[in-house]
Amino acid sequence: MSQRKRAAKPRRPKVIPIRLDATFFFERAVQSLDRYHYDKALKYFRRAVEYEPENPVNHCNMAGILSEMGRYQESNDILRSVIDSIDPAMTECYYYLANNYANMELYEAAEEALVHYLENDLDGQFLDEADELLDLLKYELNRPTKLATIKSKENVFAHDKARELLEAGRFADAVKILEDIIVREPSFLAARNNLGLAYYYMGLFEKSVVTITEVLESEPGNLHALCNLAIFYQHSNQEGPLRSLIERLNKTVPFHPEHVFKMATTLGIVGEHREAYRHFRRLLRTGELAGEPSLHHFAAVAATNLSRYDEAEKHWKHAEKLDTDSPVPAYYLRRLEKVREGEDSAPAHYHYHLPFEEQFRQWENNPALVTEALKREPLIRSSFFWALRHGDRKTKVQVIQALGLIADEEVIEALKAFLIDTEEDDELKRVAVLVLRSIGVQDSLAVTFGGRTLTLEARRKSARLPVWDSAWQGVLEHALAGMSGRYDVVQQHDMMTLWVDFLSRVYPEVPKLHKRAGWAAALEYWTAKMHRRTVTYADLVNRYGVSQASISRYANRIDEACGIREKLDLTTPSFH
């Protein structure tokens, strides 16, 4: 029987083809590095570069091997070629250069490369290593490194600066920095939280609530945002949302001292004094913040609102021992006695400074105390801006005049914003215009009166008045009252400007203003002349209750200083 031959099966090849590419040589180089075979590793990295000459990582790997082998100049040549020709944005090359220069003892060059790395690298991959190299360079060069900023920490540093500005009451400056941070890093929730707080202090409620809501959308349990939102609801009288939020806060038990403090002050501000006092006592028991006089003050305020007067007295006396220079504890101890006797109410504010009425009473006869107080307690500055937006009418008048004593850029911007706020009283805006002119702001001013925005034209610059006297204000108010309903806003503004110009020219030899009505009538007289308005002697005498001789005398004094008659081409003052 014949046997059939089986068909032969095809054999699988025993040789596996090797794909020679950059990845292959990279892996071989890494294996050689693991065995400390630097020559082989360098050879393989060179081959990787040949396959992918435009890949900067391959070049940097080759530069790294050369550095490990002590061939620093060759390493630097490769790194420079990466920066100059392949990928200028590869900032880590400057860190590698700095290391090579340091090993070559070229410390100036190392410093230049390291500074470039820190000021331009966004990721901060070698930030810890760079700190060590900075210490070395500082030692070798015997001087601090010339470093302006660290790019990867730019937002952190900017946020710290913004917080300092917030604490100093410089809200507009803080807002500018915080808004820039949010544009660069939208996920920076702490910056967004503080931005909402800055808006709130500036009286921009809607923007503050929107900003804090954005924080809570990203992190619903953010305690700072929840507390800030509760305060916003409190001051905008949103009882429903506030009550819901308070219930949520009362169920929260923070542990970090900073969070406990935030919770306690927030609950106190919204009237939850019992829970606030409980948290303040927790902080005092832990001892970490027990040396802070403000904490004892806050605890005393809460205790007073709970009618626990003995405990309140103990806290304020402790605050007095801790802060012997502050008038706050002593003031509230005196007030506590009146509260006990039913002659006064418990303090409503959780602020470690004197109430506005008391501050202004002390400053009334000594304006220099305002500047001194601002240096000692920056929070007073922030309370000024808050009161400008949310105080009663009397407080706002006092605040506007006090801001005139500060007279910096932020004050000017705040008062200008006040002028165009449709919710503010027109008379208060006139006071604000007056203060702006008195501190030397002579550019045109936009003012909203009665729902209509007017532009008050720029005025010739006059000397800045160092103070604003209540007697000067009295003359103005007298004139405004006499001109009310007879002169428009622009004409009233010109009267105020004339008064400021007169005072600036004669200061410090300002005449005694015994007859305010006479000066007020003289101001109306010249205002009428400047606007070609008819004014009669009988009309001025009847409305201001002064003689023609007095009005004529004061009108002449104003003209002598300001030269109005010459400008209007008048010969002698005459009434028609």
Side-chain angles (χ1 to χ4, degrees):
M1 186 175 168
S2 60
Q3 296 180 350
R4 288 186 300 175
K5 293 183 178 179
R6 294 181 179 177
K9 292 181 179 180
R11 292 184 177 182
R12 291 181 180 176
K14 294 183 178 180
V15 178
I16 300 173
I18 298 175
R19 184 180 178 183
L20 300 178
D21 58 12
T23 301
F24 170 81
F25 289 110
F26 173 81
E27 291 173 351
R28 286 289 189 276
V30 171
Q31 291 172 7
S32 299
L33 275 177
D34 290 340
R35 300 185 180 96
Y36 301 102
H37 296 162
Y38 293 123
D39 288 333
K40 284 187 177 182
L42 179 60
K43 180 181 70 174
Y44 288 131
F45 276 133
R46 285 189 192 280
R47 293 300 303 277
V49 167
E50 291 172 6
Y51 277 91
E52 292 182 356
E54 298 303 315
N55 187 340
V57 176
N58 293 330
H59 291 269
C60 286
N61 287 331
M62 190 163 62
I65 289 296
L66 288 169
S67 183
E68 289 290 337
M69 297 171 70
R71 295 159 67 174
Y72 303 118
Q73 188 56 56
E74 293 176 67
S75 175
N76 284 350
D77 291 341
I78 294 172
L79 293 170
R80 285 291 178 191
S81 71
V82 171
I83 295 168
D84 296 338
S85 307
I86 301 173
D87 187 359
M90 202 164 182
T91 50
E92 57 262 45
C93 289
Y94 288 99
Y95 171 73
Y96 302 141
L97 282 168
N99 269 287
N100 286 342
Y101 284 131
N103 283 312
M104 296 166 72
E105 298 185 2
L106 300 173
Y107 300 117
E108 295 281 355
E111 179 187 50
E112 182 181 353
L114 187 62
V115 167
H116 192 284
Y117 167 73
L118 290 170
E119 291 183 348
N120 293 276
D121 186 78
L122 284 170
D123 300 324
Q125 181 183 355
F126 300 107
L127 201 56
D128 292 338
E129 295 86 345
D131 283 341
E132 295 179 7
L133 188 52
L134 278 173
D135 290 338
L136 171 67
L137 295 176
K138 182 179 179 180
Y139 173 78
E140 294 292 347
L141 295 171
N142 196 29
R143 60 170 172 76
T145 303
K146 304 166 186 175
L147 181 65
T149 185
I150 298 177
K151 187 73 173 180
S152 61
K153 286 189 173 183
E154 185 176 26
N155 288 338
V156 175
F157 291 155
H159 182 241
D160 289 343
K161 176 63 177 176
R163 287 182 63 181
E164 291 176 7
L165 291 169
L166 279 176
E167 291 170 1
R170 306 189 70 87
F171 305 118
D173 293 335
V175 163
K176 291 175 185 176
I177 295 175
L178 292 167
E179 287 178 339
D180 288 342
I181 293 173
I182 298 305
V183 171
R184 293 193 299 265
E185 191 176 342
S187 61
F188 200 150
L189 296 186
R192 197 177 292 273
N193 227 334
N194 280 320
L195 179 59
L197 204 56
Y199 285 147
Y200 164 75
Y201 281 126
M202 293 175 72
L204 305 174
F205 273 118
E206 291 183 8
K207 294 184 77 171
S208 64
V209 172
V210 168
T211 306
I212 293 301
T213 302
E214 290 169 349
V215 175
L216 292 172
E217 287 172 355
S218 297
E219 190 179 297
N222 188 295
L223 184 64
H224 281 276
L226 291 170
C227 289
N228 289 340
L229 193 58
I231 295 172
F232 299 167
Y233 285 153
Q234 162 85 357
H235 287 283
S236 56
N237 296 317
Q238 298 186 47
E239 284 296 325
L242 175 60
R243 182 48 49 191
S244 176
L245 195 48
I246 288 174
E247 290 175 2
R248 181 175 177 182
L249 290 174
N250 282 336
K251 295 175 183 177
T252 304
V253 183
F255 290 98
H256 192 283
E258 181 185 351
H259 291 167
V260 178
F261 183 78
K262 180 73 174 181
M263 175 78 84
T265 52
T266 299
L267 290 173
I269 289 169
V270 300
E272 294 291 305
H273 304 294
R274 190 170 303 281
E275 288 299 312
Y277 191 46
R278 182 169 66 86
H279 288 299
F280 285 132
R281 292 183 68 187
R282 280 180 61 200
L283 287 171
L284 291 170
R285 281 198 300 268
T286 59
E288 291 185 43
L289 298 175
E292 288 291 328
S294 59
L295 180 56
H296 290 274
H297 169 72
F298 298 145
V301 171
T304 305
N305 278 278
L306 296 172
S307 301
R308 300 167 77 160
Y309 303 133
D310 290 343
E311 293 174 46
E313 182 179 6
K314 180 186 69 175
H315 290 305
W316 270 315
K317 284 185 175 180
H318 203 94
E320 193 172 37
K321 289 179 182 178
L322 292 170
D323 191 2
T324 55
D325 295 331
S326 174
V328 174
Y331 168 82
Y332 279 101
L333 281 168
R334 291 193 301 270
R335 184 170 171 180
L336 179 62
E337 291 306 311
K338 294 182 179 181
V339 174
R340 276 176 159 154
E341 295 168 7
E343 298 176 3
D344 200 351
S345 59
H349 299 291
Y350 282 75
H351 299 300
Y352 188 55
H353 58 67
L354 296 175
F356 269 108
E357 316 81 63
E358 182 66 17
Q359 290 174 9
F360 285 120
R361 189 186 67 78
Q362 293 185 9
W363 296 339
E364 190 173 14
N365 298 319
N366 192 352
L369 288 176
V370 177
T371 304
E372 181 186 334
L374 286 168
K375 289 179 180 178
R376 186 178 67 250
E377 297 183 60
L379 186 60
I380 293 177
R381 182 189 181 93
S382 68
S383 64
F384 275 10
F385 288 106
W386 170 254
L388 180 63
R389 290 288 181 180
H390 310 293
D392 57 29
R393 191 182 187 284
K394 179 182 177 183
T395 299
K396 286 183 178 183
V397 170
Q398 293 174 317
V399 166
I400 291 169
Q401 293 174 342
L403 288 174
L405 296 171
I406 305 171
D408 59 18
E409 283 302 316
E410 187 168 34
V411 164
I412 292 170
E413 291 305 313
L415 290 177
K416 285 182 175 179
F418 184 84
L419 294 179
I420 58 175
D421 190 333
T422 57
E423 301 297 320
E424 293 296 347
D425 180 77
D426 288 352
E427 291 301 318
L428 289 175
K429 291 176 183 177
R430 291 187 177 94
V431 178
V433 168
L434 172 67
V435 168
L436 284 168
R437 292 306 190 209
S438 74
I439 63 178
V441 178
Q442 300 300 325
D443 53 343
S444 59
L445 297 172
V447 189
T448 301
F449 285 117
R452 188 163 61 98
T453 300
L454 304 173
T455 299
L456 304 179
E457 65 180 46
R459 292 296 174 190
R460 178 181 50 77
K461 188 178 175 74
S462 61
R464 177 179 181 269
L465 294 170
V467 294
W468 184 253
D469 193 278
S470 58
W472 307 345
Q473 177 69 22
V475 171
L476 261 184
E477 290 175 354
H478 214 110
L480 286 170
M483 296 170 68
S484 178
R486 295 178 173 84
Y487 296 80
D488 62 26
V489 170
V490 173
Q491 291 164 348
Q492 291 180 53
H493 167 259
D494 286 347
M495 181 275 294
M496 291 190 293
T497 302
L498 173 61
W499 185 229
V500 172
D501 187 36
F502 168 72
L503 294 171
S504 299
R505 289 172 180 273
V506 300
Y507 188 85
E509 304 300 326
V510 178
K512 299 294 184 182
L513 305 176
H514 297 303
K515 294 185 178 180
R516 295 182 181 182
W519 286 100
L523 287 171
E524 181 180 338
Y525 167 77
W526 283 123
T527 303
K529 290 298 180 184
M530 288 188 291
H531 287 275
R532 307 299 178 188
R533 293 279 303 272
T534 299
V535 62
T536 66
Y537 165 76
D539 189 26
L540 289 175
V541 169
N542 288 335
R543 277 192 284 113
Y544 289 96
V546 290
S547 67
Q548 178 183 357
S550 293
I551 298 173
S552 178
R553 182 168 65 255
Y554 296 139
N556 282 331
R557 290 288 300 273
I558 294 172
D559 178 56
E560 288 170 6
C562 302
I564 308 172
R565 186 182 296 111
E566 182 180 349
K567 294 171 189 174
L568 298 178
D569 195 25
L570 299 174
T571 53
T572 59
S574 59
F575 296 91
H576 305 284

